[in-house]
Amino acid sequence: MRIADILNSKKVTLSFEVFPPKKKEALESIKKTAVSLTELKPDFISVTFGAGGTTKGYTAEIAEAIEENGTAALAHLTCVRSTTDALKNTIDDLKTRNIKNVLALRGDFPKDAVTGENIFPSGYTHASDLVKLLKQEGMCVGGACYPEGHPESRSHEADIEQLKYKVEAGVDFLTTQMFFDNDMLYSFLYRLQSAGIHVPVLAGIMPITNANQVSRMIDLSNAYIPRKLLAICDRFRDSPEAMMQAGIAYATDQIIDLISNGVRGIHIYTMNKPEIARAIIHNVDDIIKAINN
Ligand code: FAD
């Protein structure tokens, strides 16, 4: 099913993200993880695309397993280090596997790029270029957005101006980078409205269930970590069960506040851990049902 239709048909949606393995040996186990997530009946499951296209085949395979189990799949696709032919072949492969939804991304600049390397051989240097191609191919297309600004953007204003290219190219929805302070999302949504951007925005929630994750998250996303979350990490760093429980409670709190304030899409970065997704669903299931009924 097309995600645009799912978002249109419900007041609140809840979806998950999984990532493919680096090595083929782990593929079957990640497919099983993805299939076990379908049993929780999310609205869709997204599958990331390894940085620089390192795991490209696996994304389509995992997405196909998700679709075969009755849940809509969203396959991520990046432009970095891809030729136009390679992008078109990937899109054809996704279509053959009955995948109708793609998250169009530029991708990060590869850390191992050498001076003079053309990292965009397709000439698609921004996600908006890929959005146009995917729309021509008849796909339902999502894009990424950054409540705290993309690290390369000069300012919040420049970030929104550039986000507009993606929206004008035809994205059906946007998914946010993770954030840990809901006020960051609310002011971002306000800026989008002021800029005339009205496509659905799905809020990306990363449950922090391991204190060491926090420093990785700051590196990856530059996200602001509120004092309350830092205190949880400090207090429960050496107690894995307590950290897991507190991290799930923090994410649950974020989700309930978002839904209470009218946010219509929650996208959970599961880190391939069905137990985390299950615990969160358990905490918010009745809230979502009450709104959708
Ligand atoms: P773009 O939209 O192209 O933006 C990149 C930068 O260029 C921004 O600063 C933007 O403001 C600027 N910009 C955009 N258009 C223009 C223009 N026309 N002129 C000038 N400047 C412009 N990475 C992966 O490798 N695999 C994944 O599966 C993956 N999934 C992700 C999922 C989500 C929800 C998010 C938020 C990020 C994901 N990423 C993934 C990371 C993403 O690839 C990086 O954040 C990357 O640096 C930017 O990708 P983008 O699609 O947002 O790029």
Side-chain angles (χ1 to χ4, degrees):
M1 197 168 175
R2 293 170 80 85
I3 290 171
D5 295 334
I6 299 174
L7 299 176
N8 265 331
S9 68
K10 288 189 150 183
K11 290 190 185 133
V12 176
T13 60
L14 192 129
S15 48
F16 298 142
E17 179 182 284
V18 294
F19 56 85
K22 289 207 171 73
K23 297 203 170 122
K24 193 164 175 59
E25 300 83 271
L27 181 58
E28 284 313 308
S29 137
I30 303 291
K31 273 201 216 169
K32 277 194 193 129
T33 299
V35 169
S36 72
L37 286 171
T38 64
E39 287 157 13
L40 299 172
K41 304 281 171 221
D43 289 293
F44 69 88
I45 300 177
S46 72
V47 189
T48 66
F49 196 78
T54 42
T55 60
K56 54 181 131 187
Y58 309 151
T59 298
E61 242 185 281
I62 297 166
E64 182 178 31
I66 292 167
E67 286 279 348
E68 282 171 355
N69 280 275
T71 298
L74 170 65
H76 294 202
L77 180 60
T78 66
C79 312
V80 165
R81 282 187 170 150
S82 224
T83 60
T84 310
D85 280 351
L87 288 171
K88 287 188 172 160
N89 288 341
T90 304
I91 297 168
D92 286 345
D93 181 39
L94 291 172
K95 284 183 176 172
T96 312
R97 295 174 192 264
N98 205 23
I99 291 148
K100 301 178 180 69
N101 307 291
V102 179
L103 191 77
L105 297 147
R106 184 200 68 184
D108 281 323
F109 291 114
K111 291 197 174 79
D112 61 351
V114 291
T115 317
E117 179 187 349
N118 177 8
I119 58 167
F120 298 112
S122 63
Y124 294 177
T125 52
H126 299 294
S128 50
D129 302 321
L130 185 56
V131 173
K132 285 180 201 152
L133 174 67
L134 287 160
K135 290 307 287 184
Q136 281 162 17
E137 295 286 339
M139 289 288 192
C140 174
V141 185
C145 63
Y146 304 83
E148 296 172 61
H150 185 269
E152 290 163 36
S153 291
R154 289 190 316 278
S155 63
H156 283 322
E157 289 70 29
D159 198 56
I160 302 270
E161 275 313 304
Q162 283 145 6
L163 183 59
K164 268 185 165 176
Y165 295 123
K166 223 180 291 198
V167 175
E168 284 157 8
V171 286
D172 296 286
F173 62 93
L174 295 166
T175 306
T176 76
Q177 178 62 283
M178 67 190 83
F179 60 90
F180 302 99
D181 178 347
N182 287 356
D183 286 343
M184 297 283 178
L185 182 82
Y186 300 139
S187 44
F188 177 66
L189 292 178
Y190 178 73
R191 290 197 295 279
L192 294 189
Q193 289 291 318
S194 307
I197 296 177
H198 301 298
V199 293
V201 177
L202 313 183
I205 296 295
M206 167 73 81
I208 299 291
T209 54
N210 167 340
N212 297 329
Q213 244 176 305
V214 165
S215 36
R216 276 206 307 277
M217 291 312 131
I218 299 175
D219 280 354
L220 267 177
S221 65
N222 282 331
Y224 164 68
I225 311 289
R227 194 197 53 76
K228 189 173 162 186
L229 183 54
L230 282 176
I232 289 175
C233 294
D234 280 348
R235 187 78 173 97
F236 303 120
R237 177 172 301 279
D238 299 321
S239 319
E241 287 85 11
M243 186 62 224
M244 169 83 93
Q245 196 168 34
I248 287 170
Y250 188 92
T252 301
D253 228 34
Q254 262 194 289
I255 294 169
I256 295 174
D257 179 70
L258 291 168
I259 296 175
S260 308
N261 281 286
V263 170
R264 294 188 47 198
I266 306 292
H267 191 60
I268 299 174
Y269 297 117
T270 69
M271 303 300 284
N272 292 358
K273 294 195 172 119
E275 65 278 16
I276 295 177
R278 202 169 294 118
I280 291 182
I281 290 256
H282 172 78
N283 290 347
V284 300
D285 212 16
D286 287 338
I287 294 169
I288 293 180
K289 274 192 202 128
I291 293 192
N292 280 334
N293 285 337

